[in-house]
Amino acid sequence: MVQHGKYRALVAAAALALGAGPAAGACRLALAMGFDISRSVDATDYAIQRDGILAALAAPEVVRALLGSDDHVLLALYEWSGQGSQSIVVAWTAVRSQADIDRIAASIAAHTRGEDKLPTALGEALDFGADLLNRAGDCAARTLDISGDGRNNIGEEPEKVRKRRGLEGILVNGLAIGGHESGIAIYYRQRLISGRGAFVEVARVHADFPRAFRRKLERELTEQLLGTIETGENAG
């Protein structure tokens, strides 16, 4: 794993590589992020999660990674819990300026949480995220990131969704939150993530979510994206 102190160099390298191509102004990355709001996520956990996302979007390193190239990033966020319970928080938004980041943050801050007493349909969260990415349009890379604190306990298992969907051209990362179920990071590694270079970021407990989310987002926008550029292919 790249140390946090190297992220700035990676941001600069990614921006240089992405801005140098003939297709300046194209979409370099479609990044969809799904967040767990099932019954194991109480009001305090939810607030930590929301505030952690907002803090990451305000972090200078993340802002530079988002805006450091003429080629833009597309962002979308959704919440998920039980079967048929996924809700778009931020629809696909092209991030080309600080104003775009501010609009995304305002949508997150204003969002009202959905049903909070439902089980954990992780497989459906994966299926929904894949459909969402398939509606993003043309982008050089496509990444789905799903965070959660528990194993799938209703509906199709995530590994079965992976097999059924194929997920061609989609890199699936995870953010595993400990404290509710043991071995959740191992479960995410074995059952959820897919694609070359896919990884699981770990938050020991919900209180650790802001740090883990920021580190995960920086990695997706710099190290992981630069790897895609260097190999000249999507990680799928």
Side-chain angles (χ1 to χ4, degrees), residues 46-92:
Y46 181 80
I48 290 170
Q49 183 170 280
R50 180 199 61 220
D51 293 347
I53 297 167
L54 293 173
L57 289 173
E61 293 83 359
V62 171
V63 172
R64 282 195 292 271
L66 285 168
L67 303 181
S69 170
D70 288 338
D71 298 325
H72 63 273
V73 173
L74 276 179
L75 283 184
L77 290 86
Y78 67 97
E79 294 179 339
W80 62 273
S81 55
Q83 288 182 291
S85 295
Q86 301 88 29
S87 175
I88 297 289
V89 179
V90 178
W92 284 117

Side-chain angles (χ1 to χ4, degrees), residues 224-235:
Q224 201 168 47
L225 186 55
L226 186 58
T228 299
I229 298 163
E230 288 172 341
T231 60
E233 60 187 41
N234 285 355

Side-chain angles (χ1 to χ4, degrees), residues 103-172:
R103 278 192 292 272
I104 290 170
S107 295
I108 295 167
H111 180 75
T112 300
R113 176 182 181 165
E115 172 61 60
D116 62 357
K117 294 180 173 61
L118 296 176
T120 304
L122 182 59
E124 280 206 16
L126 175 59
D127 212 10
F128 183 88
D131 284 339
L132 185 60
L133 274 164
N134 285 337
R135 298 196 298 272
D138 261 348
C139 286
R142 295 184 295 163
T143 297
L144 172 59
D145 192 283
I146 297 179
S147 66
D149 66 2
R151 293 169 173 79
N152 189 83
N153 57 30
I154 191 169
E156 192 175 14
E157 296 288 342
E159 64 269 29
K160 292 184 178 178
V161 174
R162 277 193 328 198
K163 184 175 181 180
R164 172 172 57 80
R165 295 294 302 255
L167 300 177
E168 183 178 353
I170 295 177
L171 183 67
V172 182

